[in-house]
């Protein structure tokens, strides 16, 4: 009757063996064989536990191609007799080989890498923290080793409590206000009427989206002592995959790999090459043979692809809660902001399109355009030296009409609207962010004290001081050293801005030189449109220079940021972001500023032109004005920039992944990819950008600048931005779901430093639009003429009838014989009247050549200048007052959200009290039932 007990604690399972039983109807031979196999596995398990601190147990001697090693300390992989594991879990590449332990994180290294000792120590310490581990070699390259990590329930609970992970503990209770019977009847009739109407096409089908429990539940920081308060249906799924990966990453960042206080963390091992990659797994394939409508989603990745990243749902709202659950709060906030920005562009695009259509409908009634088109007897002076001929003013009829499409009576209203729109957009985004932060449990979340960057520690390890928060010694950077580095960095920024200005200067010289070249061109089409050809080619060359300088700026910004030696990663990120934005903003907009505010402003007049280096005559505006040049600059740059960015965001990863798949097909056949485990498929995807969401935010912020800063000159900019963003959302979604490895789910409360940059752009847009209307457009000169010099002078009217004679009044007279020798045209203008021209006209307010002061400024010039300055001051003050008033009137936190937060705080306290009271009463009843009683019990 000797009974032997074999107990496996991790499974809480006992197996009893009775060797004295010889005769029975049951054949125990198979059972004994199974027990022996289990005993072997248990021996392996205990050997591993004994060898946790032994370096010899961490080698790859037991590693086979495509097979796991016995380095796993997961005792739960021992299969209990009678317990079945789904075969799907064993084959889908998301679990350990036992099909029970889900893979929470993947580490990748090469066996040929020399950093073996550091890696072995790191992996032993990982197992000491309680994480389970399996290793498996790559199917395509035996030198590549995948380390699969799994966090059991005990580890998840421990670190979730340390990290203050908020988990659901009670479903929300929604209270309805008491309504009268009459109101209920009206609501029933309205709901019945809505039933006849078509469903809202932009909303996602609730049937296809999973029930995200945490959105309908109150949450609280996880606590193992109060675990009975939380809603736990299944311990394996209580923490979602993103949370599990975040907890494992948190552990890996705090595991040592070498003796020494600074020899800690996965990031350092990635930087020194010990590990090649580290990433959480995608949840299976994003495609399925079955339709999602009939069979449902295979996994959350498949659901995101069908409901978010697919081009067929471009018109629907984004499933932000699902994005947050899969990718984390930081990426979820980016897409929430991008969706909000895109939605706010709808009214701006509509008003901008209305302004453009208003210009189209009033084109035939525009007095200025009529006069330009009918001015066949007005001969304009050449716009360049020698080769440019005299031209009739009527030859610029088309340009005058195109200018009216953008520069009309509605332009000023649109500029004011866009300045107010930028403020409303930011203020309502703060409210939207507050609602998202509440729904995603980010209100009370505070970032942990960040670790010091390894580079900072290595540089200043000799100087230490006590951290006022943690009370521990840490490396310290002297104030003089910090100031000197900041001065050098600022000098580098100033130098790079000078490089941008030099590039703009080169474009200016190109425009000056080529306008004469195109004027003498053989082709009549180019010769007759020399100025437009000059502007178009200059913009294309400018775009190429912009893209080349962007590559240089990234390297310079990286060098200057590392030179500053920021203390933490967030400080490094903010410093790098500010430099890159400043560089790219100046690079992208410098030529636009030149065309808007300098082109044609300092050219002098015929007979006394201002010249560059006393050689090249400065470029003049077209007879119809400079606004057409600004429109071309903005339109071409905006379209080309957005097209290039979209190609680089999606096209480049697609080409790289296609090339990888092509090589695999050539080596392993067409069915190779389908047979690969998930970690192999994810490893072959492209990693996320080294700077995270920086490129995505930067692209949208620069677009926001284009949309607001010069919108008075190009009202269609919001429409182009809207069309681009509709595509951008799906491009980014497709990229995140299908082309990139799954990024680590990280938390964030807002969009960070980008909000301050947006506010700065909003302020700058008010100033630039005021100058565009006052200086670049002809709005102020027309207004002065209508009220002071036109037919309606002194009558207080400014209609189209008051603009009669404006074109003639805005042109000055020049005596052809007063031309300089190097400016005198080759033709004498006899083709217009049969005899040499004596006079030509040019855009300016100057006295005629026979006046007492030839070519001096007229009184109308000073009236226009004073009106321009007055308009700038009044416009800026008025718009800034409106902006501040709107900011004051719109609270950052919606009132209903504030009430919900207060009520939730009250209900949480009540629920916690009730749950604790219920537990104590239950314990008291059990004691009484067992016959135990205590005096002075509470309650």
């Amino acid at each position: 009757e000797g009974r032997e007990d074999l107990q496996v604690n991790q499974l809480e399972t006992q197996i009893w063996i009775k060797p004295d039983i010889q005769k029975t109807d049951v054949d125990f031979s198979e059972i004994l064989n199974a027990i022996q196999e289990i005993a072997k596995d248990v021996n392996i398990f205990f050997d591993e536990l004994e060898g946790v601190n032994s370096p010899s147990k961490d080698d790859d001697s037991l590693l086979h191609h495509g097979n796991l090693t016995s380095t796993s300390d997961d005792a739960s992989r021992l299969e209990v007799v009678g317990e079945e594991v789904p075969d799907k879990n064993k084959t889908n590449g998301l679990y350990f080989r036992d099909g029970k332990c889900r893979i929470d994180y993947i580490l990748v290294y090469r066996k040929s890498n020399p950093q073996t000792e550091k890696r072995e120590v790191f992996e032993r310490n990982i197992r000491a923290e309680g994480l389970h581990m399996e290793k498996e070699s790559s199917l395509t390259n035996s030198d590549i080793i995948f380390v699969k990590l799994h966090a059991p329930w005990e580890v998840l609970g421990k670190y979730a409590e340390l990290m203050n992970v908020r988990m659901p503990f009670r479903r929300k209770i929604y209270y309805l206000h008491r309504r009268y019977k009459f109101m209920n009847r009206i609501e029933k009739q309205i709901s019945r009427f809505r039933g006849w109407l078509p469903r809202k096409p932009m909303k996602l089908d609730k049937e296809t989206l999973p029930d995200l429990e945490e959105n309908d539940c109150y949450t609280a920081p996880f606590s193992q002592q109060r675990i009975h308060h939380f809603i736990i249906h299944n311990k394996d799924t209580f923490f979602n995959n993103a949370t599990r990966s975040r907890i494992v990453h948190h552990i890996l960042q705090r595991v040592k790999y070498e003796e020494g206080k600074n020899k800690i963390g996965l990031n350092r091992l990635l930087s020194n090459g010990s590990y090649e990659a580290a990433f959480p797994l995608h949840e299976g394939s994003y495609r399925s043979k079955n339709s999602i409508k009939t069979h449902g989603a295979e996994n959350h990745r498949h659901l995101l692809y069908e409901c978010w990243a697919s081009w067929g749902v471009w018109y629907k709202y984004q499933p932000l809660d699902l994005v947050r659950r899969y990718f984390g709060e930081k990426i979820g906030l980016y897409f929430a902001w991008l969706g909000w920005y895109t939605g706010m562009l709808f009214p701006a695009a509509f008003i901008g399109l209305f302004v453009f259509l208003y210009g189209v409908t009033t084109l035939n009634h525009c007095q200025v355009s009529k006069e330009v088109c009918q001015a066949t007897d007005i001969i304009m002076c050449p716009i360049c030296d020698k080769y440019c001929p005299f031209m009739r003013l009527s030859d610029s009829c088309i340009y005058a009409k195109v200018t009216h499409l953008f520069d009309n009576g509605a332009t000023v209203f649109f500029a004011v609207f866009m300045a107010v729109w930028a403020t409303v957009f930011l203020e309502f985004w703060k409210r939207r962010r507050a609602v998202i932060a509440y729904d995603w449990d980010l209100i009370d979340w505070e970032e942990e004290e960040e670790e010091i960057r390894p580079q900072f520690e290595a540089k200043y390890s000799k100087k230490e001081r006590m951290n006022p928060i943690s009370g521990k010694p840490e490396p310290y950077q002297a104030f003089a050293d910090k100031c000197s580095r900041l001065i050098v960095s600022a000098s580098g920024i100033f130098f790079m801005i000078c490089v941008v200005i030099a590039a703009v200067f080169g474009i200016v010289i190109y425009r000056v030189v080529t306008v004469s070249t195109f004027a003498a061109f053989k082709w009549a089409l180019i010769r007759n449109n020399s100025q437009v050809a000059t502007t178009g080619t200059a913009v294309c060359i400018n775009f190429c220079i912009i893209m080349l300088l962007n590559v240089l700026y990234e390297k310079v910004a990286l060098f200057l940021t590392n030179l500053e030696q920021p203390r933490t990663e967030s400080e490094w990120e903010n410093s790098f972001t500010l430099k890159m934005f400043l560089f790219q903003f100046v690079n992208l907009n410098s030529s636009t500023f030149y065309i808007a505010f300098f082109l044609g402003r300092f050219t002098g007049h015929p007979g006394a032109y201002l010249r560059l280096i006393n050689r090249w005559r400065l470029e003049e505006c077209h007879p119809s004005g400079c606004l057409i040049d600004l429109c071309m600059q903005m339109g071409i740059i905006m379209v080309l920039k957005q097209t290039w960015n979209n190609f680089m965001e999606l096209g480049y990863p697609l080409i790289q992944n296609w090339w990888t798949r092509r090589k695999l097909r050539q080596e392993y056949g067409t069915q190779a990819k389908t047979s690969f485990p998930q970690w192999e498929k994810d490893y072959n995807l492209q990693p996320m950008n080294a700077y995270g969401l920086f490129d995505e935010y930067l692209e949208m912020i620069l677009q926001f600048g284009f949309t607001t800063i010069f919108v008075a000159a190009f009202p269609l900019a919001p429409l182009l931005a809207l069309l681009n963003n509709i595509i951008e959302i799906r491009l980014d979604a497709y990229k995140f779901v299908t082309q990139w490895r799954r990024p680590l789910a990280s938390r964030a409360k807002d969009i960070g430093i980008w909000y301050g940059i947006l506010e700065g752009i909003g302020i700058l847009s008010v100033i630039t639009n005021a100058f565009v209307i006052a200086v670049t457009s002809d709005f102020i000169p027309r207004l002065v003429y209508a009220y002071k010099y036109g037919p309606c002078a002194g009558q207080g009217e400014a209609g189209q009838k008051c603009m009669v004679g404006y074109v003639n009044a805005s042109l000055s007279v020049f005596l052809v014989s007063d031309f300089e020798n190097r400016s005198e045209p080759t033709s004498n203008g006899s083709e217009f009247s049969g005899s040499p021209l004596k006079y030509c006209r040019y855009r300016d307010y100057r006295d005629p050549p026979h006046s007492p002061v030839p070519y001096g400024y007229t009184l109308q010039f000073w009236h226009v200048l004073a009106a321009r300055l007055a308009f700038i001051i009044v416009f800026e003050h008025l718009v800034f007052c409106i902006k501040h008033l709107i900011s004051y009137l719109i609270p950052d936190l919606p009132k209903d959200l504030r009430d919900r937060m207060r009520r939730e705080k009250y209900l949480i306290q009540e629920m916690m009290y009730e749950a604790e009271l219920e537990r104590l009463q239950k314990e008291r009843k059990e004691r009484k039932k067992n016959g135990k009683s205590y005096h002075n019990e509470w309650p």
Side-chain angles (χ1 to χ4, degrees):
E1 298 182 17
R3 176 177 294 178
E4 298 178 7
D5 293 347
L6 177 62
Q7 184 176 7
V8 182
N9 294 327
Q10 281 72 12
L11 292 175
E12 298 181 354
T13 304
Q14 291 184 337
I15 303 173
W16 290 277
I17 306 171
K18 295 185 178 180
D20 58 328
I21 299 179
Q22 299 291 338
K23 298 179 181 180
T24 179
D25 295 335
V26 182
D27 185 9
F28 283 90
S29 59
E30 295 181 2
I31 297 178
L32 291 174
N33 291 334
I35 292 173
Q36 289 175 1
E37 293 295 326
I38 293 175
K40 291 179 181 178
D41 288 341
V42 173
N43 290 334
I44 293 174
F45 169 68
F46 285 121
D47 288 342
E48 289 170 9
L49 290 182
E50 293 173 359
V52 165
N53 298 320
S54 174
S56 62
K57 290 290 180 182
D58 197 57
D59 60 11
D60 298 325
S61 58
L62 299 176
L63 188 65
H64 299 285
H65 182 77
N67 294 324
L68 64 92
T69 66
S70 60
T71 58
S72 170
D73 62 350
D74 180 17
S76 63
R77 67 184 174 90
L78 305 176
E79 296 185 7
V80 188
V81 178
E83 182 177 342
E84 296 182 358
V85 178
D87 294 335
K88 184 179 179 182
N89 289 356
K90 297 182 179 181
T91 59
N92 60 9
L94 299 177
Y95 291 81
F96 278 20
R97 196 175 182 84
D98 62 356
K100 299 177 184 178
C101 300
R102 189 175 186 91
I103 300 172
D104 297 322
Y105 212 79
I106 292 290
L107 303 177
V108 186
Y109 70 90
R110 293 181 180 270
K111 288 196 291 187
S112 57
N113 189 283
Q115 306 281 354
T116 306
E117 186 176 352
K118 293 180 181 178
R119 192 168 55 248
E120 289 177 352
V121 174
F122 185 72
E123 291 175 2
R124 286 201 305 273
N125 291 333
I126 287 176
R127 290 199 300 273
E129 289 289 339
L131 296 181
H132 300 165
M133 182 189 304
E134 275 186 357
K135 290 185 180 181
E136 192 151 347
S137 62
S138 172
L139 295 176
T140 60
N141 188 347
S142 59
D143 188 45
I144 297 176
I145 307 300
F146 295 98
V147 181
K148 299 176 286 185
L149 301 178
H150 166 76
W153 171 258
E154 294 77 10
V155 176
L156 291 173
K158 172 185 173 182
Y159 280 95
E161 187 171 358
L162 292 174
M163 296 167 64
N164 290 322
V165 177
R166 299 182 69 91
M167 301 303 295
F169 74 94
R170 187 69 63 89
R171 286 195 172 274
K172 290 182 179 179
I173 303 173
Y174 297 97
Y175 292 92
L176 298 177
H177 296 288
R178 181 180 297 175
R179 297 184 180 274
Y180 297 100
K181 294 183 179 179
F182 176 73
M183 294 299 296
N184 289 335
R185 291 175 183 174
I186 293 178
E187 288 183 354
K188 288 181 180 179
Q189 295 297 329
I190 292 175
S191 62
R192 184 179 300 175
F193 175 73
R194 285 178 178 173
W196 298 338
L197 298 176
R199 298 173 60 187
K200 293 183 179 179
M202 298 176 70
K203 285 191 174 182
L204 292 166
D205 296 333
K206 292 184 178 179
E207 298 176 357
T208 60
L209 291 177
D211 182 19
L212 302 179
E213 189 174 70
E214 60 266 28
N215 295 335
D216 295 327
C217 297
Y218 295 114
T219 61
F222 183 76
S223 172
Q224 289 181 316
Q225 293 182 349
R226 298 182 176 181
I227 194 171
H228 52 279
H229 292 172
F230 295 91
I231 304 174
I232 304 177
H233 301 302
N234 186 349
K235 288 186 177 182
D236 293 334
T237 59
F238 178 65
F239 296 102
N240 61 47
N241 295 332
T243 304
R244 296 174 68 99
S245 299
R246 186 156 57 89
I247 292 174
V248 173
H249 182 79
H250 176 87
I251 297 172
L252 297 178
Q253 290 296 91
R254 286 154 180 79
V255 172
K256 283 192 173 186
Y257 60 86
E258 210 173 61
E259 290 300 325
K261 64 177 182 179
N262 298 329
K263 308 296 184 179
I264 186 173
L266 176 64
N267 285 346
R268 289 182 173 87
L269 290 176
L270 288 171
S271 61
N272 65 26
S274 298
Y275 287 101
E276 189 172 300
F279 53 89
L281 286 181
H282 278 296
E283 297 181 9
S285 176
Y286 62 89
R287 294 186 182 275
S288 176
K289 297 179 181 179
N290 303 318
S291 172
I292 191 174
K293 295 182 179 179
T294 57
H295 292 75
E298 297 280 341
N299 49 65
H300 282 165
R301 189 187 186 193
H302 179 215
L303 183 63
L304 279 172
Y305 177 77
E306 294 289 342
C307 299
W308 183 48
S310 176
W311 293 106
V313 294
W314 64 270
Y315 59 93
K316 289 185 178 291
Y317 294 126
Q318 299 183 84
L320 292 177
D321 290 328
L322 194 60
V323 175
R324 172 243 181 172
R325 181 188 180 100
Y326 195 83
F327 291 109
E329 286 79 3
K330 193 171 187 178
I331 294 176
L333 270 174
Y334 163 71
F335 282 102
W337 176 84
L338 181 58
W340 183 257
Y341 171 45
T342 304
M344 289 293 290
L345 278 173
F346 273 97
F350 175 78
I351 299 297
L353 184 61
F354 170 78
V355 171
F356 179 78
L357 294 178
Y358 174 80
V360 173
T361 55
T362 59
L363 184 61
N364 296 327
H365 305 286
C366 178
Q367 181 63 31
V368 177
S369 300
K370 287 181 181 179
E371 291 186 1
V372 171
C373 294
Q374 296 171 1
T376 56
D377 57 338
I378 296 179
I379 309 300
M380 302 298 294
C381 298
I383 59 175
C384 67
D385 293 338
K386 291 188 178 181
Y387 298 107
C388 291
F390 294 98
M391 59 180 295
R392 287 189 175 92
L393 180 60
S394 59
D395 293 343
S396 60
C397 175
I398 296 177
Y399 303 115
K401 291 181 177 180
V402 173
T403 300
H404 177 74
L405 299 179
F406 302 102
D407 185 13
N408 50 62
T411 303
V412 178
F413 159 75
F414 187 56
V416 176
F417 170 81
M418 287 303 295
V420 174
W421 172 87
T423 302
V424 172
F425 162 65
L426 293 176
E427 292 300 319
F428 275 94
W429 163 248
K430 285 195 288 187
R431 293 165 61 87
R432 173 64 176 158
R433 187 206 65 81
V435 173
I436 292 175
Y438 169 78
D439 290 337
W440 293 356
D441 289 323
L442 299 173
I443 294 291
D444 299 325
W445 179 77
E446 295 293 339
E447 293 187 18
E448 299 177 0
E449 185 181 0
E450 291 190 79
E451 296 179 357
I452 299 175
R453 297 178 66 241
Q455 296 85 347
F456 185 88
E457 287 181 340
K459 181 70 177 177
Y460 301 103
S461 58
K462 296 181 180 179
K463 295 182 180 179
E464 291 186 348
R465 72 170 182 178
M466 298 298 293
N467 187 311
I469 299 174
S470 63
K472 299 178 181 179
E474 65 178 14
Y476 168 69
Q477 183 181 16
F479 178 77
D481 181 75
K482 186 174 184 178
C483 287
S484 61
R485 290 177 179 276
L486 288 176
I487 291 172
V488 173
S489 178
S491 303
I493 295 172
F494 178 75
F495 173 76
M496 294 308 299
I497 291 176
C498 292
V499 172
V500 176
I501 296 174
V504 174
F505 185 74
I507 295 295
V508 172
I509 294 177
Y510 168 83
R511 295 171 68 104
V512 169
V513 172
T514 53
V515 69
S516 301
T517 306
F518 285 144
F521 213 74
K522 295 180 179 179
W523 296 349
L525 179 63
I526 296 179
R527 185 171 62 252
N528 296 334
N529 300 278
S530 59
Q531 198 162 15
V532 176
T534 300
T535 302
T537 55
V539 171
C540 293
I541 293 174
N542 183 34
F543 174 75
C544 295
I545 293 175
I546 286 172
M547 302 311 296
L548 289 175
L549 288 178
N550 281 345
V551 178
L552 175 63
Y553 291 155
E554 183 175 346
K555 298 182 183 299
V556 173
L558 193 62
F559 172 77
L560 293 178
T561 306
N562 290 331
L563 182 67
E564 291 178 7
Q565 290 291 349
R567 178 177 172 273
T568 62
E569 287 295 335
S570 63
E571 291 178 6
W572 187 96
E573 184 178 341
N574 290 340
S575 178
F576 179 77
T577 298
L578 194 59
K579 290 181 182 63
M580 280 297 293
F581 168 76
L582 188 60
F583 287 157
Q584 295 217 17
F585 180 81
V586 174
N587 187 27
L588 195 63
N589 293 283
S590 53
S591 297
T592 311
F593 271 90
Y594 163 75
I595 294 174
F597 305 127
F598 297 99
L599 179 63
R601 301 285 178 267
F602 309 101
T603 58
H605 62 87
Y609 286 116
L610 297 178
R611 298 179 180 273
L612 284 174
I613 322 175
N614 199 27
R615 180 178 179 182
W616 293 298
R617 169 183 163 184
L618 290 174
E619 188 181 4
E620 290 186 47
C621 290
H622 198 272
S624 298
C626 292
L627 200 66
I628 188 67
D629 294 318
L630 184 58
C631 290
M632 288 183 61
Q633 173 81 13
M634 289 193 61
I636 294 176
I637 291 292
M638 196 168 184
V639 171
L640 289 179
K641 187 77 166 61
Q642 292 180 347
T643 304
W644 175 259
N645 286 339
N646 289 337
F647 169 75
M648 290 302 295
E649 281 189 9
L650 184 62
Y652 185 64
L654 273 174
I655 292 173
Q656 285 185 315
N657 291 334
W658 170 82
W659 183 254
T660 302
R661 291 194 300 269
R662 182 176 177 273
K663 290 194 298 183
L664 292 176
R665 282 197 301 268
Q666 290 178 348
E667 295 180 11
Y668 301 96
T670 56
Q671 300 297 325
K673 189 174 184 298
T674 57
S675 62
F676 286 164
Q678 189 63 42
W679 56 81
E680 191 98 30
K681 296 177 183 177
D682 287 5
Y683 178 70
N684 291 327
L685 296 177
Q686 297 302 308
M688 189 177 177
N689 291 336
Y691 309 126
L693 293 169
F694 170 79
D695 289 336
E696 278 71 23
Y697 273 117
L698 181 64
E699 178 187 354
M700 290 296 103
I701 299 301
L702 292 175
Q703 185 206 82
F704 180 79
F706 257 103
T707 306
T708 55
I709 292 178
F710 293 104
V711 73
F714 192 58
L716 293 179
L719 180 61
L720 292 179
L722 173 63
L723 297 176
N724 175 79
N725 286 7
I726 292 174
I727 300 173
E728 180 75 21
I729 290 176
R730 305 305 162 182
L731 277 180
D732 284 347
Y734 184 83
K735 178 178 61 180
F736 272 93
V737 174
T738 68
Q739 301 301 310
W740 279 0
R741 295 173 190 163
R742 185 176 183 176
L744 180 70
S746 55
R747 309 199 85 190
K749 293 184 68 173
D750 50 33
I751 61 175
I753 195 175
W754 296 109
Y755 185 84
I757 293 175
L758 287 170
E759 285 187 324
I761 292 176
I763 294 172
L764 180 62
S765 67
V766 177
I767 302 172
T768 53
N769 282 308
F771 275 89
V772 167
I773 295 171
V775 177
T776 310
S777 73
D778 289 337
F779 175 76
I780 298 299
R782 293 176 186 177
L783 211 60
V784 171
Y785 177 81
Y787 284 103
K788 185 67 177 176
Y789 298 96
C792 305
Q795 300 179 13
E797 297 181 12
Q800 290 297 326
K801 63 179 181 178
C802 302
M803 298 304 298
V804 176
Y806 167 76
V807 172
N808 186 60
S810 63
L811 299 176
S812 300
V813 180
F814 177 73
L815 186 64
V816 174
S817 60
D818 291 342
F819 266 121
E820 301 172 299
N821 291 333
R822 53 182 172 177
S823 298
E824 188 174 357
T826 54
S827 63
N828 57 9
S830 58
E831 64 272 15
F832 297 104
S833 59
S835 60
L837 285 176
K838 292 184 178 180
Y839 300 98
C840 63
R841 309 291 294 272
Y842 62 98
R843 282 173 57 94
D844 210 342
Y845 298 99
R846 292 183 182 271
D847 292 324
H850 302 296
S851 62
V853 184
Y855 309 118
Y857 287 117
T858 62
L859 183 62
Q860 188 175 356
F861 169 81
W862 299 109
H863 283 165
V864 170
L865 180 62
R868 282 173 167 166
L869 295 177
F871 175 83
I872 291 172
I873 295 172
V874 172
F875 182 89
E876 287 182 357
H877 283 71
L878 176 64
V879 174
F880 278 130
C881 287
I882 295 174
K883 286 170 68 73
H884 288 300
L885 180 63
I886 292 174
S887 301
Y888 175 76
L889 293 177
I890 300 177
D892 294 345
L893 207 63
K895 184 179 182 302
D896 60 336
L897 177 61
R898 188 182 296 110
D899 295 340
R900 285 166 59 193
M901 290 171 61
R902 291 175 179 173
R903 178 162 184 78
E904 179 175 339
K905 186 176 181 180
Y906 167 77
L907 288 176
I908 287 175
Q909 293 176 349
E910 290 292 319
M911 290 175 184
M912 297 293 281
Y913 171 77
E914 291 175 1
E916 191 68 22
L917 185 63
E918 182 180 351
R919 183 182 67 85
L920 292 174
Q921 289 177 344
K922 187 176 180 180
E923 290 180 357
R924 183 180 181 182
K925 290 180 180 178
E926 289 180 354
R927 290 169 186 160
K928 288 183 176 180
K929 185 177 180 180
N930 296 332
K932 298 180 180 179
S933 61
Y934 298 93
H935 298 287
N936 300 324
E937 286 188 352
W938 182 87

